Amino acid sequence: MALFQRGKDPVVTADLENAIEAGHGHCSQDKSASVLQPDNHNGITRKIAPGGESGRRGIHPLHFFRILWTSTSDASRLCNILWPTVPAALALRYSKSDLHLVIFILNYLAMVPCANTIGFAGQEFARKIPKVAGILIENTLGSVVELILFMVLLTRDQFPVIKSAVLGSILATMLLCLGLCFFAGGLTRGEQEFSDTVSEVGCGLLLTAGLALIVPSAYYHTIAGASNITEEAIQDNVLHISRVTSILLIIAYLIYVWFQMRTQHCIFDAILERDEEKDADKARDAAKSKLTLTECVIALVVSMTLVTLVAISLVEQIDYIVEERGITEAFMGLILVPLVEKAAEHLTAIDEAWDNQMNFALSHVLGATIQTALFNTPLVVIIGWGLGKTMNLNFELFEIIIMILAIVVVGNFLRDQKSNYLEGALCVIVYVIIAVAAFYYPGRSV
């Protein structure tokens, strides 16, 4: 499955090919312009990339629902079978509000088709613009479910669940999703290769973000118990450190976006174009019907609205699940919440790896993880600051240890620019071990 279908770009010259192989180099202004503004002589919509041209305008209801149903892959299509749980979950919330467990299960399942539609509409929208910009926007839209859940949890003062969900999202994407990408791609091809330009930038940012996220926790665990400072003063200092760290992380994210979009746009664009040439389903994907720009916007608005309603209903049941059903906050945040919020992104990346598009898959995996670490997490802290909430970045020692080790493990697997099913299986096994430990983790101490 290719996200973008476009003919070979004439600006990818021999000099650029060499720069890509070396993993460095810059684009000239004319090359950047030609990549950023693709011509579309055959389509009916100006300024729409050929790979995203639907051949239609406006909205056509029958085409719209048919395309949404067929989705991008068989796995993604299976998610649409869960659509009946959406009205059922919302109706049960108001008619049988005492059935907490049933409401939680239904809303948990209802998140999957809603998130899948956001992911699919985001893909369709991304097809219509240049590749690098498309992936950045697609990752942003894919993180909408995560942001909505974080905001709802924030308004309910569910800070422990948010903190666990932040790290759980990073772990689910880095270990589970990347592991399944390696495994799925390795099953049919033995070994796959990817560009060091994509992996090195991503790994460097992840390690930096991981270090920054644990600074407030390191401060707390070092100072806690000291006789010359009170617990209240320590917590106040941690809050201030977290807020300053959050501002700096968002600045780092904006620099990263600028780097992707401007400084090395040609290099990343050419790398992804090479991946398109290797797409096993290129012809079939090119022949698929596509959403119009209007239909993309409608699908995104409707699915985001439903995700918000379902998220509110889901979060309302967390206290009951934790207190009455013995599910710890660590397991809820580290495992359960990330699995459902990241479902669509994971399916997209795995499908790309299966089609031998490892650079696309890696861009989605690392891009989504970077978005969580450098943007979504600090944004929650800053919004909490504006709402007068004491949301900070003081994570449990258990959580920060496994996050840093996970980043180191993944970085080691990416170092040789090759992947296979053994590495994929090991990543998934490590994730399952973490899930088991989270299930038995007693809870937060701070």
Side-chain angles (χ1 to χ4, degrees):
M1 184 281 301
L3 293 182
F4 312 91
Q5 301 295 338
R6 205 170 84 182
K8 189 167 180 61
D9 198 327
V11 307
V12 185
T13 62
D15 291 336
L16 183 56
E17 298 277 347
N18 293 333
I20 294 167
E21 290 294 333
H24 61 274
H26 299 280
C27 307
S28 65
Q29 291 296 327
D30 58 324
K31 289 178 182 178
S32 297
S34 62
V35 175
L36 285 168
Q37 299 176 358
D39 293 324
N40 184 14
H41 301 294
N42 299 323
I44 66 170
T45 309
R46 295 186 62 187
K47 297 183 180 180
I48 294 293
E53 179 57 67
S54 64
R56 301 178 292 116
R57 287 179 178 173
I59 179 171
H60 301 73
L62 291 179
H63 284 289
F64 178 57
F65 288 112
R66 180 176 59 81
I67 294 171
L68 286 179
W69 175 257
T70 55
S71 199
T72 56
S73 63
D74 292 338
S76 184
R77 195 175 304 117
L78 287 174
C79 295
N80 290 328
I81 297 175
L82 294 174
W83 268 110
T85 62
V86 177
L90 295 176
L92 201 63
R93 177 194 177 195
Y94 297 102
S95 61
K96 296 288 184 179
S97 58
D98 57 325
L99 298 177
H100 300 287
L101 181 60
V102 177
I103 293 174
F104 178 84
I105 293 173
L106 281 177
N107 280 280
Y108 190 83
L109 294 175
M111 290 289 291
V112 176
C114 295
N116 183 61
T117 300
I118 291 176
F120 176 66
Q123 281 183 332
E124 290 289 296
F125 183 81
R127 289 174 187 261
K128 303 179 186 300
I129 56 180
K131 298 178 181 61
V132 178
I135 284 185
L136 289 171
I137 291 176
E138 191 176 346
N139 283 334
T140 300
L141 291 173
S143 295
V144 164
V145 178
E146 180 175 81
L147 274 173
I148 291 173
L149 269 171
F150 285 175
M151 294 303 124
V152 175
L153 288 165
L154 184 65
T155 59
R156 299 295 196 278
D157 294 334
Q158 293 277 4
F159 304 146
V161 178
I162 296 176
K163 293 175 186 179
S164 294
V166 164
L167 301 188
S169 177
I170 294 173
L171 293 172
T173 308
M174 280 199 310
L175 293 176
L176 181 62
C177 180
L178 185 63
L180 290 175
C181 286
F182 285 174
F183 189 80
L187 282 179
T188 55
R189 295 171 181 85
E191 188 174 78
Q192 292 177 296
E193 297 182 355
F194 46 84
S195 170
D196 59 342
T197 302
V198 177
S199 60
E200 284 181 4
V201 171
C203 287
L205 279 168
L206 281 179
L207 195 56
T208 303
L211 176 61
L213 286 174
I214 69 170
V215 167
S217 302
Y219 172 86
Y220 176 83
H221 290 288
T222 302
I223 304 299
S227 58
N228 59 340
I229 186 170
T230 64
E231 176 67 19
E232 183 180 353
I234 294 174
Q235 292 287 4
D236 191 53
N237 291 343
V238 168
L239 186 60
H240 289 309
I241 295 171
S242 298
R243 288 169 176 174
V244 173
T245 300
S246 296
I247 293 172
L248 294 174
L249 284 176
I250 289 181
I251 292 173
Y253 179 76
L254 295 177
I255 295 173
Y256 158 71
V257 171
W258 180 263
F259 180 79
Q260 294 274 74
M261 292 291 297
R262 301 294 299 177
T263 306
Q264 291 200 339
H265 182 281
C266 273
I267 292 177
F268 285 110
D269 194 77
I271 290 170
L272 297 178
E273 186 139 351
R274 282 182 170 184
D275 251 27
E276 280 190 342
E277 299 301 322
K278 297 187 296 182
D279 182 12
D281 295 330
K282 183 176 181 179
R284 187 180 68 178
D285 289 333
K288 285 182 178 178
S289 299
K290 299 173 180 65
L291 295 177
T292 65
L293 187 60
T294 303
E295 290 169 342
C296 288
V297 173
I298 291 173
L300 286 170
V301 171
V302 172
S303 52
M304 286 179 190
T305 302
L306 290 174
V307 160
T308 303
L309 295 174
V310 171
I312 292 172
S313 184
L314 182 71
V315 170
E316 286 176 345
Q317 310 305 320
I318 287 180
D319 285 335
Y320 170 83
I321 299 298
V322 171
E323 295 171 7
E324 302 296 330
R325 294 292 172 173
I327 301 297
T328 65
E329 291 172 333
F331 188 76
M332 178 68 71
L334 278 173
I335 307 301
L336 292 182
V337 172
L339 282 180
V340 70
E341 75 184 26
K342 293 288 188 181
E345 289 179 279
H346 292 182
L347 288 174
T348 297
I350 295 166
D351 190 42
E352 287 166 344
W354 179 265
D355 289 340
N356 200 28
Q357 293 185 288
M358 277 306 297
N359 286 308
F360 270 105
L362 203 58
S363 295
H364 279 110
V365 170
L366 296 177
T369 311
I370 290 168
Q371 171 110 14
T372 298
L374 293 182
F375 186 75
N376 294 358
T377 304
L379 184 63
V380 172
V381 174
I382 292 173
I383 291 177
W385 186 5
L387 296 175
K389 306 283 187 180
T390 58
M391 173 65 194
N392 58 39
L393 298 177
N394 187 11
F395 300 101
E396 284 283 306
L397 190 59
F398 164 73
E399 295 169 341
I400 61 178
I401 288 174
I402 60 176
M403 181 186 69
I404 293 299
L405 290 177
I407 292 175
V408 172
V409 168
V410 169
N412 186 64
F413 283 154
L414 296 178
R415 187 171 54 187
D416 62 353
Q417 291 89 56
K418 296 178 181 179
S419 64
N420 53 62
Y421 66 86
L422 173 61
E423 293 176 343
L426 292 176
C427 285
V428 174
I429 289 171
V430 169
Y431 183 79
V432 173
I433 292 172
I434 293 172
V436 173
F439 183 80
Y440 288 102
Y441 194 75
R444 303 187 67 88
S445 59
V446 291

